[in-house]
Amino acid sequence: MERSFIMIKPDGVQRNLVGEIIRRFETKGFTLVGLKLMAVPRELAEKHYDVHKDRPFFSGLVEFITSSPVIAMVWEGEGVVTSARKIIGATNPLSAELGTIRGDYGVSVGRNLIHGSDAIETAQREIKLWFSEEELTSWEPSI
Ligand code: CMP
C-alpha cells in the first residue's frame, strides 16, 4: 500500500496546529501508520533537504527545522502521496488555495507549516530516513 512521509514543522507545532493537521488526514480517510514528536538532528535535516543544498535558503531551512520539535508521520492509503500534496497546498502559502493547510494557516514560504513527500520514490526515501521498520505499524480499520 502507498505511503507518504508527512512532517509538521516547528511553526505548525508551535502554533498548536498538530490536531487540526492530523484531523485533515484522518477525515480524508488515510491511515496513520507512524508518528513521533522529535528534535531533529542537524545531519538528518541536511539529508532530508539534500536536494536543496545549493539553494540560498538551505542553511536557514536546516536552522529552522532543527530549532524546535517537529511531528514526523507516515500516512498510508491509495494515492496518498498526491492526495497529501493537495491537502497541504502549494509551497508558498500565499499562492496556496484556501481549504488547503498552507492556504488556510500560512503566509510565509519559509514557515509553511508542513512537509509532504513530492513523489512515491521520494516518500520511500524519506520514510527510510526518518523511521525504522519497528516504528511503523500496518493495520486495517475494522469498523
Ligand atoms: P518543503 O515542502 O518542506 O520543501 C522544501 C522547503 O524549502 C519548502 O517546503 C519551504 O519551506 C522551503 N523553501 C522553499 N523556497 C523557499 C524560499 N524561497 N525561502 C525560504 N524557504 C523556502
Side-chain angles (χ1 to χ4, degrees):
M1 179 60 85
E2 188 173 314
R3 289 176 169 180
S4 188
F5 173 70
I6 305 292
M7 169 180 49
I8 306 176
K9 298 181 184 181
D11 50 336
V13 176
Q14 290 181 24
R15 289 182 54 199
N16 299 317
L17 289 170
V18 171
E20 169 61 18
I21 288 173
I22 289 176
R23 187 189 65 78
R24 292 190 179 213
F25 288 90
E26 281 185 320
T27 52
K28 177 68 179 171
F30 293 123
T31 305
L32 183 61
V33 297
L35 178 145
K36 56 187 173 183
L37 172 87
M38 59 185 285
V40 185
R42 172 168 293 271
E43 195 190 343
L44 174 58
E46 285 174 352
K47 273 194 192 146
H48 175 78
Y49 282 122
D50 183 60
V51 67
H52 297 301
K53 66 175 183 300
D54 297 326
R55 309 287 286 274
F57 57 80
F58 178 74
S59 62
L61 181 57
V62 168
E63 211 55 53
F64 175 58
I65 292 298
T66 56
S67 65
S68 77
V70 305
I71 300 279
M73 298 181 280
V74 178
W75 286 87
E76 190 175 87
E78 206 176 320
V80 65
V81 171
T82 301
S83 184
R85 298 280 290 187
K86 287 186 189 154
I87 291 169
I88 290 169
T91 302
N92 186 340
L94 291 178
S95 314
E97 297 287 335
L98 292 178
T100 66
I101 292 167
R102 288 170 175 161
D104 286 350
Y105 300 115
V107 289
S108 157
V109 70
R111 299 288 183 271
N112 63 0
L113 303 163
I114 178 166
H115 166 87
S117 306
D118 64 5
I120 291 176
E121 302 70 40
T122 321
Q124 290 164 348
R125 173 186 169 271
E126 292 177 347
I127 291 167
K128 264 203 193 116
L129 202 55
W130 288 79
F131 284 90
S132 66
E133 269 303 318
E134 306 78 65
E135 289 176 313
L136 300 174
T137 308
S138 265
W139 61 285
E140 300 250 336
S142 59
I143 50 165

